[in-house]
Amino acid sequence: MLRDTLPITNQPSKVFNPAADVLESEQGFELQLALPGVAKEDVKIDFQEGQLIISGERKAPEATENAPKFHRAETGYGTFSRSFRLPDTVDVTAIEAELTNGILRVSLPFDSKKVTKHHIEVR
């Protein structure tokens, strides 16, 4: 049932490494992490020493006596941690995060007070 060409396993993987996308606009960066089945209470976001660290846990379904048994398991469960080095142009005090429909969106606005390039006219 439900066969295809991928290797078949009937045990969920204990490794979960969420995929990440980074987008840039005029206002700053947006980091998007795919966190299907992860509750916002299970996500922790910290900034330290120039790095944004996102960690948490995707909990596996509980194994009870009457629980459904896996016939195919392609998704991973367990703890995860992703680190992203932020440029100095990001205003870390204005970072915001929202988890909606399994996608964590972290807004990383540019610091309008910091200037990374400026031309000075000689008089």
Side-chain angles (χ1 to χ4, degrees), residues 56-75:
E57 181 178 12
R58 181 174 187 218
K59 296 177 181 169
E62 291 188 28
T64 61
E65 187 175 315
N66 296 328
K69 293 177 178 45
F70 281 94
H71 281 272
R72 174 183 293 278
E74 294 183 1
T75 59

Side-chain angles (χ1 to χ4, degrees), residues 30-91:
E30 181 174 278
L31 174 62
Q32 299 178 357
L33 251 68
L35 299 177
V38 177
K40 67 179 178 179
E41 297 80 25
D42 294 329
V43 178
K44 181 179 173 187
I45 304 173
D46 290 305
F47 175 78
Q48 63 185 67
E49 298 178 12
Q51 289 200 50
L52 186 71
I53 302 162
I54 303 174
S55 59
E57 181 178 12
R58 181 174 187 218
K59 296 177 181 169
E62 291 188 28
T64 61
E65 187 175 315
N66 296 328
K69 293 177 178 45
F70 281 94
H71 281 272
R72 174 183 293 278
E74 294 183 1
T75 59
Y77 297 90
T79 59
F80 65 89
S81 181
R82 299 285 313 259
S83 298
F84 302 90
R85 178 150 304 280
L86 298 185
D88 291 338
T89 55
V90 171
D91 182 357

Side-chain angles (χ1 to χ4, degrees), residues 1-15 69-77:
M1 180 176 168
L2 304 175
R3 294 183 189 164
D4 66 15
T5 59
L6 293 174
I8 297 174
T9 179
N10 63 355
Q11 293 297 315
S13 170
K14 292 182 174 39
V15 177
K69 293 177 178 45
F70 281 94
H71 281 272
R72 174 183 293 278
E74 294 183 1
T75 59
Y77 297 90

